Amino acid sequence: MSYLYARRVGKKGTWLIKMDMKKALKIIKENDEMRDYLGVIGGKNINSLKRTYGEYAPFKEVDTLEEIKKEMHI
């Protein structure tokens, strides 16, 4: 499983949206203004991400990119 993730330098935490990699890459290309904040990360579930990518914690799973934009104030 892949996740589209968003994180901002200087701000603690990472937002995640569960989706396949192709769709995540398409969203990154379509949202040029957020390209510096978005990426794709892979893992079986949130718990495996916490163990592997602890430096990105805390993780918050959301449903839409609009939620991420609102929380990141973009």
Side-chain angles (χ1 to χ4, degrees), residues 1-5 16-28 40-41 61-65:
M1 176 53 62
S2 296
Y3 295 86
L4 174 72
Y5 76 86
L16 301 169
I17 303 173
K18 190 184 297 188
M19 63 179 61
D20 66 71
M21 187 173 291
K22 286 183 182 181
K23 185 175 181 183
L25 293 173
K26 182 179 177 187
I27 288 173
I28 292 170
V40 182
I41 195 168
E61 196 165 0
V62 295
D63 295 320
T64 65
L65 188 61

Side-chain angles (χ1 to χ4, degrees), residues 4-54:
L4 174 72
Y5 76 86
R7 59 180 276 118
R8 201 169 198 169
V9 175
K11 194 161 185 159
K12 190 169 179 147
T14 304
W15 293 273
L16 301 169
I17 303 173
K18 190 184 297 188
M19 63 179 61
D20 66 71
M21 187 173 291
K22 286 183 182 181
K23 185 175 181 183
L25 293 173
K26 182 179 177 187
I27 288 173
I28 292 170
K29 288 179 184 177
E30 291 173 350
N31 290 276
D32 196 42
E33 76 280 3
M34 292 186 68
R35 189 170 285 176
D36 293 338
Y37 311 118
L38 297 176
V40 182
I41 195 168
K44 292 179 185 177
N45 54 42
I46 295 288
N47 290 330
S48 68
L49 292 177
K50 287 178 183 177
R51 285 190 303 273
T52 308
Y53 303 101

